[in-house]
């Protein structure tokens, strides 16, 4: 399903007390897994990281990217060398932010084989270095002096400038051993209570602080969508929606006149472990895929105007169109799979579908369970996990089938 960001605007709430002009109150649906840009991969952690760290560029309104710590950039005639000139900026401990901070932070991501290391592959020798075929010293990232960073690419990459606004490209204060209290962005973390709240204060050492009009951001950690909506309606939150604080599906119809829908290049899908029995059988995978009625899911489960996904990539990024709902073909492939695996259908009822702990994912999992039962005659189990546990399952390939989501870093 192609997801859309759902935004509840501040002015549409009915607040008991007017929100402070200098404070924003929002919620996250889970505790961020990290505050380190080198490790941030999920949407929640990335959102927090971009509040407390700055990079060469920043995402701006209207899908634009604007200069941040890099006050100017020079691009070679062959479009393969970017030379970034940094503005005068300081970490919260007063030490200057240098080109060396960028070079070392980026190279640490490559050396650690981070899940986001692939974002650096446009840089010369970055991919070869991650694969251990070239030493890190030969990667095309070099600090020429304290305020000049030179980046050489493998080939012209039109979107490279925009890439530098992503969380993975934001440097950490290596002299402070990555201490999150020493940051570079418009806000600093004043307080963090696990699974409860995060309080951010304006960074008085920020290079562009005169353009930061908020003094504080208060983030409540609220895992239940209905509770977050109730807090919004009671005037305890100023903003609600999107991937950081999804809306309860039961409320979408009632709230539709107060919602703003913004397209997002993203998909939610079933991932089958092709290296483990029984989904190492291609016909079984096809059977389960053709048994999914995606139109029913977007019309009756997600209910947010999503487009049924017909490929792993959302429609905005691909023209591919396959894996349509076809019960007849699903049953044909299912019979072929049973014959090849030499099993009976009931033997597959030991399978379990993993999903994250949200109302939407729970309903989605239940709908898939019913659709597979209706078409294939098999009832598989459902296992709800927190985000971290599910990610560990996926990364270790310790699963047979799981729900997963994918959001484009750029488009």
């Amino acid at each position: 399903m192609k997801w859309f960001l759902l935004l509840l605007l501040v002015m549409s709430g009915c607040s008991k007390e007017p929100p402070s002009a200098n404070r924003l109150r929002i919620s996250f649906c889970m505790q961020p897994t990290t505050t380190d840009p080198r490790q941030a991969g999920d949407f929640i952690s990335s959102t927090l990281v971009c509040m407390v760290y700055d990079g060469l560029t920043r995402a701006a309104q209207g899908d634009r990217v604007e200069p941040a710590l890099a006050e100017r950039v020079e691009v070679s005639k062959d479009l393969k060398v970017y030379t970034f000139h940094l503005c005068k900026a300081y970490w919260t401990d007063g030490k200057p932010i240098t080109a060396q901070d960028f070079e070392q932070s980026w190279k640490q991501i490559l050396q650690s084989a981070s899940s986001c290391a692939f974002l650096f592959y446009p840089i010369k020798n970055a991919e070869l270095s991650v694969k251990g075929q070239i030493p890190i010293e030969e990667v095309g990232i070099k600090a020429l002096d304290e305020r000049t960073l030179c980046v050489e690419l493998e080939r012209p990459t039109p979107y490279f400038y925009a890439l530098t606004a992503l969380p993975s490209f934001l440097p950490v204060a290596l002299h402070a051993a990555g201490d999150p209290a020493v940051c570079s962005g418009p806000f600093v973390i004043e307080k963090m209570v696990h699974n409860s709240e995060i309080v951010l204060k304006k960074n008085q050492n920020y290079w562009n602080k005169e353009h930061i009009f908020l003094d504080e951001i208060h983030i409540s950690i609220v895992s239940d969508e209905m509770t977050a909506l109730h807090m919004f309606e009671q005037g305890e939150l100023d903003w609600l929606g999107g991937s950081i604080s999804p809306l309860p599906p039961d409320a979408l119809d009632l709230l539709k006149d107060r919602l703003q829908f913004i397209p997002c290049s993203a998909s939610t899908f079933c991932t089958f472990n092709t290296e483990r029995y029984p989904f190492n059988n291609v016909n079984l995978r096809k059977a389960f895929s053709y048994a999914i009625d995606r139109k029913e899911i977007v019309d009756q489960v997600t209910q947010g105007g999503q487009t049924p996904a017909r490929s792993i990539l959302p429609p905005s990024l691909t023209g591919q169109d396959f894996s349509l709902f076809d019960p007849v073909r699903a049953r044909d492939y299912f019979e072929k799979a049973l014959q090849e695996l030499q099993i009976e259908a009931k033997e597959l009822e030991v399978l379990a579908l993993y999903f994250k702990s949200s109302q939407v994912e729970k309903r989605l999992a239940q709908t898939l369970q019913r659709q597979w039962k209706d078409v294939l005659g098999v009832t598989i189990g459902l296992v709800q996990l927190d985000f971290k546990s599910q990610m560990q399952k996926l990364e270790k390939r310790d699963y047979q089938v799981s729900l997963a989501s994918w959001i484009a870093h750029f488009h």
Side-chain angles (χ1 to χ4, degrees):
M1 288 64 66
K2 181 183 177 185
W3 289 99
F4 288 73
L5 293 179
L6 303 173
L7 307 183
L8 274 175
L9 303 182
V10 173
M11 63 283 295
S12 67
C14 47
S15 178
K16 288 184 176 179
E17 58 179 280
S20 167
N22 296 318
R23 180 182 64 177
L24 176 66
R25 299 166 301 174
I26 63 175
S27 67
F28 285 172
C29 61
M30 68 176 193
Q31 177 76 23
T33 58
T34 183
T35 59
D36 191 332
R38 297 166 298 180
Q39 301 174 19
D42 63 274
F43 200 86
I44 300 292
S45 299
S46 297
T47 299
L48 179 61
V49 161
C50 288
M51 293 177 177
V52 297
Y53 288 94
D54 240 11
L56 298 171
T57 60
R58 288 184 67 88
Q61 189 174 7
D63 293 331
R64 295 183 300 107
V65 171
E66 62 185 14
L69 293 178
E71 60 185 4
R72 63 187 176 91
V73 59
E74 299 168 359
V75 184
S76 63
K77 290 184 178 180
D78 64 2
L79 306 179
K80 291 172 62 177
V81 179
Y82 284 65
T83 304
F84 296 93
H85 298 272
L86 306 188
C87 65
K88 280 189 176 181
Y90 301 88
W91 297 102
T92 48
D93 64 359
K95 294 186 179 296
I97 300 172
T98 68
Q100 288 83 1
D101 291 322
F102 281 93
E103 177 183 354
Q104 293 176 46
S105 294
W106 291 9
K107 286 182 175 179
Q108 282 187 356
I109 289 180
L110 298 177
Q111 289 175 303
S112 66
S114 161
S115 61
C116 290
F118 72 95
L119 294 169
F120 292 80
Y121 285 0
I123 299 174
K124 184 176 180 180
N125 291 332
E127 182 174 6
L128 294 176
S129 178
V130 169
K131 294 179 178 179
Q133 299 175 14
I134 280 182
I136 194 69
E137 293 77 19
E138 295 185 26
V139 175
I141 307 167
K142 186 173 181 60
L144 302 183
D145 55 46
E146 284 205 343
R147 292 175 57 189
T148 309
L149 179 71
C150 182
V151 183
E152 184 178 358
L153 307 183
E154 290 280 1
R155 59 190 64 83
T157 307
Y159 57 85
F160 177 73
Y161 182 75
L163 276 181
T164 61
L166 294 177
S168 297
F169 287 80
L170 312 185
V172 296
L174 297 175
H175 68 274
D179 181 356
V182 182
C183 55
S184 58
F187 298 94
V188 298
I189 299 175
E190 181 180 73
K191 179 182 180 183
M192 181 181 290
V193 180
H194 189 75
N195 284 332
S196 178
E197 65 176 346
I198 302 171
V199 178
L200 307 180
K201 290 288 188 179
K202 182 176 179 179
N203 180 4
Q204 297 301 327
N205 226 17
Y206 186 52
W207 66 276
N208 199 25
K209 67 178 181 180
E210 64 271 16
H211 290 102
I212 304 302
F213 304 109
L214 289 174
D215 293 326
E216 177 181 319
I217 298 178
H218 185 275
I219 304 168
S220 299
I221 310 300
V222 185
S223 60
D224 181 73
E225 296 97 320
M226 192 60 74
T227 300
L229 177 60
H230 179 73
M231 292 175 65
F232 178 81
E233 296 287 6
Q234 293 299 311
E236 298 172 21
L237 296 175
D238 302 315
W239 185 96
L240 189 67
S243 297
I244 64 170
S245 187
L247 301 174
D250 284 342
L252 291 179
D253 190 54
L254 294 174
L255 296 170
K256 60 184 178 183
D257 294 334
R258 299 162 58 190
L259 296 175
Q260 178 181 357
F261 293 84
I262 300 177
C264 176
S265 295
S267 297
T268 293
F269 54 91
C270 286
T271 173
F272 299 101
N273 190 342
T274 61
E275 298 178 356
R276 176 183 289 191
Y277 173 89
F279 288 112
N280 55 348
N281 183 283
V282 64
N283 287 320
L284 190 64
R285 299 198 300 271
K286 288 182 178 180
F288 273 71
S289 182
Y290 278 113
I292 299 174
D293 186 347
R294 294 156 181 78
K295 188 175 187 304
E296 178 193 357
I297 289 172
V298 300
D299 288 346
Q300 299 182 27
V301 180
T302 58
Q303 304 179 60
Q306 295 89 353
T307 301
R310 306 194 189 282
S311 72
I312 189 64
L313 296 178
S316 60
L317 298 179
T318 180
Q320 293 178 321
D321 190 348
F322 58 88
S323 297
L324 298 175
F325 177 51
D326 190 332
V328 174
R329 294 184 72 180
R331 284 188 282 267
D332 287 343
Y333 281 118
F334 190 60
E335 290 302 321
K336 290 180 182 178
L338 293 179
Q339 292 175 14
E340 292 168 352
L341 294 169
Q342 298 183 351
I343 61 173
E344 295 181 3
K346 64 181 181 181
E347 295 179 52
L348 295 174
E349 296 194 349
V350 298
L351 298 176
L353 171 67
Y354 293 103
F355 63 97
K356 294 194 294 293
S357 54
S358 74
Q359 289 187 24
V360 171
E361 286 233 348
K362 183 176 182 179
R363 291 192 178 191
L364 178 52
Q366 291 172 336
T367 301
L368 290 170
Q369 181 189 51
R370 176 182 52 77
Q371 290 180 351
W372 288 332
K373 171 65 174 178
D374 291 345
V375 176
L376 305 177
V378 174
T379 302
I380 71 167
L382 301 179
V383 178
Q384 179 175 294
L385 299 172
D386 61 78
F387 176 83
K388 185 176 182 180
S389 297
Q390 192 200 32
M391 289 304 299
Q392 289 175 344
K393 287 277 187 185
L394 293 173
E395 290 171 359
K396 295 178 180 179
R397 298 182 182 272
D398 181 25
Y399 70 99
Q400 291 166 315
V401 57
S402 175
L403 285 177
S405 298
W406 178 90
I407 302 177
H409 286 85
F410 54 87
H411 58 86

